[in-house]
Amino acid sequence: MTATLIWILVALVVIGLYLSWTAGRLDRLHARIDAARAALDAQLLRRASVAQELATSGVLDPAASIVLYEAAHAARQAEEEQREVAESELSQALRAVFGEVQQVEAVREAPGGEEAAEELAQAVRRVPMARRFHNDAVRAARALRRHRKVRWFRLAGHAPFPLAFEMDDEPPAALADRAA
């Protein structure tokens, strides 16, 4: 009788430790998502700021400046629900303005244009990486949250279900070639 109670107690302790470890792992994944989201937000803000700065610098033709400025401004001011759409529209505006190598070369030849073009190339290169890191963390957390043990024992607590950030982040070919 005593041996049976000891084995039951040991089994309950092992199960408790396992569930505690799983809850800790899930908590670390949620923290990783938060950090990755902050990094993604920083990269998106940097890209929009550089695009807005370039649009107001006078090195682009007026039509391209207006298109780029409006898309960058909309991306910076977008509410959370509209953020993915606004960032996708900024990507499309960047591809429209910098779709040809001649436009990038014209920017580089202007005073201060070399630094601006290089900074924009770095920004458009970093956004897809930051989005990939964020979405990988979301995918890992979702996979763990789908397990029965996590649902049955409510190991996720009150944390919201993680959502991926889906947007068009394809860089302009002329800038992507320079950033590599």
Side-chain angles (χ1 to χ4, degrees):
M1 178 74 170
T2 306
T4 305
L5 288 177
I6 290 174
W7 282 111
I8 290 173
L9 185 62
V10 167
L12 289 176
V13 167
V14 168
I15 291 171
L17 287 173
Y18 178 71
L19 291 175
S20 175
W21 175 80
T22 303
R25 180 172 169 230
L26 191 56
D27 186 51
R28 287 188 302 276
L29 283 172
H30 282 256
R32 188 172 134 206
I33 289 170
D34 291 341
R37 181 57 188 245
L40 175 61
D41 287 341
Q43 292 304 323
L44 291 171
L45 180 62
R46 181 172 181 251
R47 180 181 76 154
S49 297
V50 170
Q52 204 168 20
E53 183 179 314
L54 191 59
T56 59
S57 69
V59 298
L60 297 173
D61 64 89
S65 291
I66 290 171
V67 167
L68 193 57
Y69 181 84
E70 287 180 354
H73 182 71
R76 289 184 71 174
Q77 301 298 321
E79 296 292 326
E80 192 60 36
E81 301 82 34
Q82 298 299 316
R83 183 92 186 267
E84 294 173 352
V85 173
E87 294 294 346
S88 294
E89 289 173 355
L90 177 55
S91 294
Q92 293 166 0
L94 285 167
R95 282 196 306 272
V97 171
F98 296 106
E100 298 176 7
V101 176
Q102 294 85 2
Q103 183 69 19
V104 176
E105 292 304 322
V107 169
R108 288 185 182 278
E109 291 170 3
E114 182 71 34
E115 294 83 21
E118 186 61 35
E119 192 173 354
L120 184 61
Q122 289 177 3
V124 299
R125 188 185 76 230
R126 289 179 179 162
V127 166
M129 288 188 297
R131 189 176 74 85
R132 196 172 310 119
F133 288 141
H134 175 267
N135 288 349
D136 287 346
V138 166
R139 197 173 305 111
R142 286 175 139 184
L144 185 58
R145 285 183 72 152
R146 277 192 218 102
H147 290 186
R148 274 183 256 152
K149 65 180 176 247
V150 173
R151 290 192 319 263
W152 288 351
F153 293 102
R154 298 179 186 198
L155 299 180
H158 297 288
F161 196 73
L163 299 174
F165 194 86
E166 297 300 333
M167 65 173 270
D168 173 9
D169 60 4
E170 183 69 30
L175 283 176
D177 293 343
R178 291 286 188 167

